[in-house]
Amino acid sequence: MLIASLLPLLARYSLGFDLVAGPDDTVTLTIIPRKPEGAAHKPEPSETRPISLSGTAAEIDAELARGPTGALGQLIVVRRTLADQIAEQRQAAETARAAAAETAKAKTAAVPKPPVSAPLKTPAPAIPPADARPEEPASLW
């Protein structure tokens, strides 16, 4: 029943398990999703967070037997939805980035280059007024 319950996770991740016996016949099963070998995208930390189930062996078996309606099944559905949303957001961001680059490229190509003109003439030196005196500064009035 364990493997059948984990098939949706196995489709997306490589899984590691940790099984620890505790006091009073309790057991903790930890499922650790990892990036599968050869996978193109790197999973987000929220996608690869370990899943722990604690209880007696009979309680864990009963929970796993519930399949998609059990806690593990519901958690897997939520994680799959989260992973799909993240993938959609990545795709939308990549599409927007490509569109922005294309728009910038089109704008750069559409901007006309200023025409090459003749060099600017330097203004003629200012001729001092006839009543100017060398010991006084020139007046604007």
Side-chain angles (χ1 to χ4, degrees):
M1 187 51 64
L2 174 65
I3 303 302
S5 297
L6 295 175
L7 279 176
L9 276 178
L10 281 171
R12 213 178 272 269
Y13 310 102
S14 174
L15 299 177
F17 296 96
D18 188 25
L19 192 59
V20 178
D24 302 327
D25 294 329
T26 60
V27 176
T28 300
L29 170 64
T30 304
I31 303 162
I32 307 156
R34 293 183 228 154
K35 175 184 172 186
E37 287 186 33
H41 99 287
K42 181 181 177 219
E44 295 290 324
S46 60
E47 293 180 74
T48 57
R49 189 172 210 168
I51 301 167
S52 289
L53 300 172
S54 294
T56 64
E59 290 170 339
I60 292 175
D61 285 343
E63 188 61 38
L64 293 175
R66 292 178 59 196
T69 61
L72 182 61
Q74 291 176 359
L75 182 61
I76 290 170
V77 168
V78 168
R79 285 208 177 177
R80 187 174 358 164
T81 302
L82 175 64
D84 290 343
Q85 288 174 353
I86 290 170
E88 288 172 11
Q89 289 297 323
R90 279 189 185 138
Q91 183 61 38
E94 185 60 35
T95 302
R97 191 178 359 252
E102 210 42 53
T103 302
K105 191 180 204 182
K107 282 184 181 179
T108 303
V111 172
K113 294 183 179 179
V116 178
S117 60
L120 297 175
K121 294 181 181 179
T122 56
I127 300 172
D131 61 344
R133 295 184 190 157
E135 67 275 352
E136 292 180 10
S139 174
L140 297 176
W141 296 274

